[in-house]
Amino acid sequence: MSDRKPGVPVSPYDEDELRELLEETDYDTELGMELARDAQRLVAGELSEEVFHDRYHEAIVDEFGVDERPLETIAAAFEAEHTDPTGFFERLESGEHSRRDVMKVGGAAAGALAIGAWGTAEQARQDGQSMASGDNPNQDGTRWGMVIDLDRCDGCLGCVKACREENHWERGANWMYVMRYEDDSRSSGEDYLVRPCMHCSNAPCEKVCPVTARHTRDDGLVLTDYDICIGCRYCQVACPYGVNYFQWGEPAVPQEELDPNHTHDGRDRWVDSRPPKGTMGKCTMCPTRQDGLLGEDKVGTVACMDMCDEMGMRAIHFGDLNDPDSRPNRYLRQRREQETGRRPGHDTTADDFMQTSTKEQDISTFRLLEHMGTEPNVIYVGNQPGPNAEQVDGPVSYEAQGSVDRRKDVLDDGADADQRPWVYAEGGDDE
Amino acid sequence: MSTEVSRADLLRPLHTTTKQYWLLFVAALVVTLVFVYAYSLQLRHGLIVTGLADWGSGGGVTWGIYVGGFVWWVGIAHGGIILSAAVRLFKMERYTPVARLAELLTIGALSMAGLFIVIHLGRPDRVVTSIIAAYPETVHTSPLVWDVTVITLYFVLTGTYLLLTLRHDIHQLRGQLPDRLDPVYTLLTVGYTESEDRVSQRLVWWLALGIIILAPLLLHGGVIPWLFALLPSMPGWYGAVQGPQFLTIALTSAIGSVLVLALAFRKAYGWEHIITDDVFRGLGLWLGLFAMLFLWLQLQQVITGVFAAPIDVDQATAAKLNDPIYWVAIFGVILALAYLAAQALQPHVFSLYGTVAAGILVVTATLIEKTFFVVEGLMYPSFGLYASVPGEYTPSWVELSAVAGSLAMVVIFFLIVAKVIPVVELHAIEGEVES
């Protein structure tokens, strides 16, 4: 990364990609591109916020009906705060536009900010190369994890489907699970919780495993060695999040049909794809991708994120939490800047956001059940479900995505041995 | 105990076999075979033949009656040997006639506990290789490995203990034992000399001391409850009270089981003069005491769970109190306690069958309570946001057949053992070896 030429900002979206993204929307592509370029100048300090606002306010109102660039632009945030007492987020949540529309509208600005943030980081790096990362012991080595922006989720379950198609788990073994919930303690909006495995740094599942099948790799991924697991399910009992799904019966997709590059990781241990009968499975955060076995272009990606990006939602940000330049860390900085107008330090990472004593606390980030001491490596942006929150039906059913929500229904069908309806009904599920 | 009891009385099971014996044997065998068939289905299809499922979004519970059965059998095993060790250590000679029954019960029950662990697993074929390979690491952190460790140690202690006391008896009775089993007796008494009696007396005493220290503190008051009590993910399990609570269950269920065994042998072989009413009366009192402790510790949990508990504990407690199954278990124990307490206050209330019925009631109640504890704990996790929480669980016939099968196998174990060795110690009728 450091061999990049100074002063040439590189976005996680290159310009073509951004254009493509914009063209998918119903809105003016050129306007989006211009917005993006100027936003970059804005962040670089070449353009004042006033000028930026004046230049685009009318165009945006014309194009979108309302200047409500959600979460994405500083200008919009200021606009909202200054002109509307109900506040920017309330208006966003009130739902004249669906979250998805809003996201699409915001695509341009999102790209703009990403570029902007990149530029900032780049500039800062030039300024302060001496600030070696590695001062902090937590920052040694890779630690894969996610930042998930719950405000950007609309419950389409695309990630669930993508995960299942990638890993071939049984119906209802929802390695990736998205729930919509209602919480009495606040006016009910569109609240979602996206629940992969947290890949905890202090994983209770690993601690209790009697055979070290459940283990943590050097890069922080918490995996099950399917060759060692004895199927006692103690990990499932000890995990406070409920992310484990056992292989109760014969897998629907036989071993021969699995891609061998997608079962054994770089250490040649069988830890990826659906588990064999009698062992425990859960979200893996795609170790074979991270090890480059599925192609170099897939390193640093996960199936759920790819799909979420494809859907234009970009709620899931997977990457190395120890690397200040990783996608999740960049995203968190960008998100804070959007919301507060304050620019975090260029090397601010997810860990800084989670420290209660720092000023980075001013956007709503949380880790799930952090009080349990599990040190989860998924950081959420958005509302945290309160103790009395209750799951409600989401907009898209699990059945529609080829899975089921309550797995017990499927398992019960298979519980009287001779038939095997727990195996997919022919033609029913895979498309 | 004195001379009016002859050695022939003691050896009656080894020489007479009734029609009832064969009926019971065949019945137990049939039940065992049903279980074997059920387990073969499970091996073929996987644990999908159970009523278990994933907790959380899955809407089930992942541990059920297999784990409940494991805890229950382990409890009976531990309580059995504690009873026997107490007899030796505290010179409670009144109970010497049931000491060996209790030891044998420990062996049988521990085997069944081990069986439940194995059938609980998704990959039983790997149990030995996987556990041994990882042992140096996992013994530091996994309560399940602690269990395996301590239970293995326990099995060895109990076996040694039983063998030492048995060698003396077999040597003394050798002439009256059935000839066809000579190889067995030769093996059991290999290297025996009469001079070893005094050494083994001391050894048995030390073993008893070890067991009395180990069993209550480390086993049923230790590693077994720690399987559950150390996990904050399940508020119904978490907490320091589970150690003593589990211990009361071990002791009550063991005494209850010994009562049943004692009555069965007394009836079958006319042993009214060996296993006297006095034994039952005394065991009944102990059962009452431990039943009271059981209820007292339940009360501790309920009160802390309802007064000002955190939300997750509060929900778990409320659910427990609203479940009729919980009250079946609790009232079972209360009823037994009421009868046993009445007996303590008014000795004429005592009846042999009443006491054994109280024992059966408590043994059944503790199986229900333990399975309920496991299942309910998993139904009300700390993280209850999922719509499918609380999960549901009804044991399938395969699982129920395992409980019945384990009972049947213990019956078969006793039916066979009674034909091979004297199930009552010679000391019980002839007094201690002079020291």
Side-chain angles (χ1 to χ4, degrees):
Chain A
M1 296 206 160
S2 54
D3 59 351
R4 202 182 304 117
K5 275 182 217 148
V8 183
V10 176
S11 161
Y13 311 77
D14 65 29
E15 215 169 283
D16 292 341
E17 199 189 346
L18 185 56
R19 184 177 294 276
E20 221 171 273
L21 193 76
L22 285 167
E23 276 164 0
E24 279 175 29
T25 71
D26 302 333
Y27 303 102
D28 184 346
T29 306
E30 287 314 314
L31 173 64
M33 293 303 292
E34 254 176 75
L35 244 168
R37 280 186 211 106
D38 276 347
Q40 183 189 338
R41 295 176 59 205
L42 172 76
V43 175
E46 294 164 19
L47 196 68
S48 77
E49 280 158 10
E50 289 73 23
V51 174
F52 182 85
H53 179 253
D54 290 347
R55 190 173 292 175
Y56 289 109
H57 180 70
E58 277 182 33
I60 286 171
V61 172
D62 283 350
E63 181 67 20
F64 303 125
V66 51
D67 184 358
E68 216 179 28
R69 285 154 286 169
L71 326 182
E72 271 75 26
T73 74
I74 301 157
F78 276 124
E79 171 83 0
E81 260 169 47
H82 293 151
T83 59
D84 187 343
T86 54
F88 175 64
F89 284 102
E90 282 76 2
R91 284 191 295 126
L92 175 65
E93 295 295 344
S94 70
E96 283 164 52
H97 303 273
S98 79
R99 192 176 286 196
R100 177 154 302 213
D101 290 342
V102 170
M103 293 300 154
K104 282 185 176 165
V105 172
L113 262 160
I115 293 171
W118 215 195
T120 314
E122 191 65 25
Q123 191 177 12
R125 194 176 304 106
Q126 291 156 32
D127 297 345
Q129 224 23 291
S130 60
M131 288 205 48
S133 66
D135 290 351
N136 179 345
N138 283 333
Q139 310 236 325
D140 290 339
T142 303
R143 180 164 54 100
W144 295 119
M146 282 178 183
V147 165
I148 301 180
D149 190 338
L150 300 174
D151 290 334
R152 296 188 67 94
C153 176
D154 73 346
C156 74
L157 306 188
C159 52
V160 177
K161 185 176 186 183
C163 178
R164 178 155 176 268
E165 283 168 358
E166 174 112 346
N167 293 299
H168 303 291
W169 37 259
E170 314 310 298
R171 276 192 300 156
N174 299 307
W175 285 11
M176 181 52 128
Y177 189 71
V178 178
M179 55 186 121
R180 184 177 183 172
Y181 67 90
E182 282 174 358
D183 202 333
D184 292 342
S185 62
R186 55 175 173 262
S187 59
S188 133
E190 220 180 319
D191 277 322
Y192 292 95
L193 183 68
V194 180
R195 193 238 59 204
C197 169
M198 306 290 145
H199 292 264
C200 306
S201 291
N202 182 25
C205 58
E206 176 178 348
K207 203 175 200 169
V208 300
C209 177
V211 294
T212 63
R214 184 58 62 83
H215 64 284
T216 306
R217 293 204 321 180
D218 290 344
D219 58 5
L221 294 185
V222 179
L223 302 168
T224 314
D225 189 321
Y226 298 145
D227 280 320
I228 297 176
C229 177
I230 57 174
C232 72
R233 315 192 285 294
Y234 207 1
C235 49
Q236 191 176 25
V237 164
C239 169
Y241 306 100
V243 308
N244 290 281
Y245 295 89
F246 192 62
Q247 193 65 276
W248 298 97
E250 205 61 59
V253 177
Q255 192 62 28
E256 314 81 74
E257 289 174 30
L258 296 177
D259 172 6
N261 285 326
H262 187 227
T263 55
H264 290 66
D265 68 358
R267 305 164 303 164
D268 201 30
R269 290 177 73 170
W270 185 10
V271 293
D272 209 350
S273 294
R274 98 286 181 280
K277 184 175 85 174
T279 60
M280 190 61 77
K282 68 163 186 67
C283 154
T284 59
M285 288 194 181
C286 304
T288 51
R289 284 185 179 224
Q290 312 326 329
D291 293 348
L293 298 169
L294 300 179
E296 278 308 309
D297 56 322
K298 290 203 168 170
V299 175
T301 69
V302 282
C304 52
M305 176 172 80
D306 285 356
M307 179 56 81
C308 193
D309 288 351
E310 207 174 294
M311 306 294 267
M313 302 306 283
R314 295 191 187 258
I316 300 172
H317 304 271
F318 171 83
D320 177 5
L321 296 180
N322 283 343
D323 175 6
D325 291 333
S326 68
R327 178 167 162 178
N329 284 330
R330 284 200 317 270
Y331 183 78
L332 271 180
R333 292 197 296 270
Q334 168 203 329
R335 184 69 157 71
R336 174 168 184 267
E337 195 170 350
Q338 290 156 14
E339 203 159 316
T340 65
R342 287 194 295 278
R343 186 179 301 170
H346 70 279
D347 56 354
T348 311
T349 63
D351 291 334
D352 301 314
F353 277 85
M354 296 310 300
Q355 283 189 1
T356 45
S357 58
T358 66
K359 57 184 178 0
E360 320 300 353
Q361 269 274 311
D362 54 13
I363 63 167
S364 169
T365 52
F366 68 95
R367 290 182 168 117
L368 201 57
L369 309 182
E370 197 172 16
H371 65 279
M372 293 221 164
T374 51
E375 299 172 32
N377 284 311
V378 173
I379 289 114
Y380 292 98
V381 179
N383 290 333
Q384 180 163 16
N388 293 313
E390 280 178 11
Q391 188 184 355
V392 295
D393 283 343
V396 177
S397 76
Y398 280 80
E399 284 78 5
Q401 297 290 38
S403 187
V404 293
D405 185 355
R406 190 173 177 274
R407 189 186 186 192
K408 185 161 171 56
D409 299 335
V410 187
L411 292 173
D412 282 350
D413 288 342
D416 73 35
D418 262 322
Q419 289 188 21
R420 298 180 35 192
W422 57 87
V423 174
Y424 301 83
E426 285 76 17
D429 300 293
D430 277 336
E431 319 304 345
Chain B
M1 301 291 157
S2 54
T3 47
E4 75 264 25
V5 182
S6 70
R7 288 182 170 192
D9 285 341
L10 203 65
L11 295 176
R12 195 169 301 138
L14 284 82
H15 296 293
T16 55
T17 305
T18 60
K19 202 201 267 175
Q20 286 96 321
Y21 176 97
W22 288 115
L23 273 176
L24 186 58
F25 196 98
V26 169
L29 196 63
V30 168
V31 175
T32 304
L33 289 176
V34 169
F35 159 66
V36 170
Y37 171 69
Y39 187 55
S40 77
L41 285 182
Q42 185 180 307
L43 283 178
R44 197 162 96 227
H45 298 291
L47 283 156
I48 196 160
V49 299
T50 66
L52 300 165
D54 308 285
W55 79 264
S57 74
V61 301
T62 187
W63 284 4
I65 209 166
Y66 289 161
V67 172
F70 159 73
V71 174
W72 185 64
W73 277 119
V74 158
I76 290 175
H78 294 168
I81 199 73
I82 291 171
L83 195 147
S84 159
V87 169
R88 237 164 281 272
L89 212 56
F90 306 129
K91 304 255 176 278
M92 297 159 77
E93 275 145 23
R94 183 194 203 180
Y95 304 109
T96 311
V98 292
R100 183 165 291 157
L101 283 176
E103 290 155 25
L104 291 168
L105 180 63
T106 296
I107 299 283
L110 267 188
S111 309
M112 290 310 115
L115 177 80
F116 268 104
I117 285 281
V118 171
I119 62 177
H120 166 82
L121 298 177
R123 289 299 302 262
D125 53 313
R126 290 178 180 165
V127 65
V128 174
T129 49
S130 279
I131 287 182
I132 289 176
Y135 189 84
E137 241 178 280
T138 52
V139 73
H140 300 288
T141 56
S142 176
L144 203 53
V145 175
W146 304 342
D147 272 36
V148 171
T149 308
V150 184
I151 290 175
T152 307
L153 172 64
Y154 209 64
F155 204 91
V156 173
L157 279 183
T158 311
T160 312
Y161 184 95
L162 183 62
L163 189 65
L164 285 176
T165 57
L166 204 54
R167 283 161 69 89
H168 168 263
D169 286 13
I170 289 176
H171 177 74
Q172 290 287 318
L173 297 165
R174 187 67 183 267
Q176 291 145 276
L177 296 172
D179 294 340
R180 64 188 186 300
L181 292 172
D182 259 350
V184 178
Y185 302 129
T186 308
L187 190 68
L188 284 173
T189 57
V190 65
Y192 179 87
T193 58
E194 284 191 15
S195 63
E196 90 172 35
D197 282 349
R198 285 179 64 171
V199 179
S200 59
Q201 277 290 310
R202 290 311 292 167
L203 204 52
V204 164
W205 189 90
W206 283 105
L207 278 172
L209 182 68
I211 285 165
I212 286 287
I213 293 169
L214 189 73
L217 303 185
L218 259 182
L219 267 162
H220 229 78
V223 295
I224 305 291
W226 291 340
L227 268 182
F228 309 93
L230 305 185
L231 303 179
S233 51
M234 304 295 154
W237 293 353
Y238 189 67
V241 78
Q242 298 308 342
Q245 178 74 84
F246 272 56
L247 184 60
T248 61
I249 289 167
L251 294 169
T252 50
S253 55
I255 295 174
S257 314
V258 169
L259 280 170
V260 175
L261 273 174
L263 180 68
F265 276 96
R266 172 170 150 162
K267 283 283 146 196
Y269 299 107
W271 280 354
E272 286 79 6
H273 54 309
I274 298 178
I275 310 177
T276 58
D277 279 4
D278 205 33
V279 172
F280 288 88
R281 197 186 290 270
L283 285 177
L285 287 180
W286 285 108
L287 180 60
L289 175 67
F290 294 128
M292 199 166 68
L293 288 176
F294 168 86
L295 291 169
W296 174 60
L297 291 166
Q298 288 289 331
L299 181 69
Q300 300 290 335
Q301 293 181 68
V302 170
I303 296 296
T304 45
V306 296
F307 184 75
I311 289 173
D312 55 352
V313 178
D314 184 68
Q315 284 174 347
T317 312
K320 175 164 86 176
L321 296 179
N322 283 317
D323 199 315
I325 295 175
Y326 177 70
W327 293 108
V328 167
I330 295 300
F331 277 114
V333 178
I334 289 177
L335 202 63
L337 174 61
Y339 174 69
L340 296 167
Q343 245 182 51
L345 299 172
Q346 296 287 329
H348 71 266
V349 180
F350 172 81
S351 95
L352 184 64
Y353 289 104
T355 306
V356 175
I360 293 173
L361 199 57
V362 171
V363 173
T364 315
T366 48
L367 174 61
I368 293 171
E369 196 276 338
K370 226 55 267 170
T371 305
F372 178 75
F373 170 84
V374 171
V375 170
E376 194 251 8
L378 284 164
M379 282 167 68
Y380 293 90
S382 196
F383 182 56
L385 180 54
Y386 296 103
S388 297
V389 163
E392 287 170 15
Y393 170 66
T394 313
S396 72
W397 75 268
V398 173
E399 290 169 277
L400 291 173
S401 83
V403 176
S406 68
L407 279 169
M409 279 185 272
V410 169
V411 168
I412 292 176
F413 169 75
F414 272 98
L415 289 175
I416 292 174
V417 164
K419 294 291 161 203
V420 179
I421 58 168
V423 295
V424 173
E425 282 181 48
L426 200 50
H427 292 155
I429 59 167
E430 295 183 352
E432 291 289 313
V433 181
E434 314 75 41
S435 47

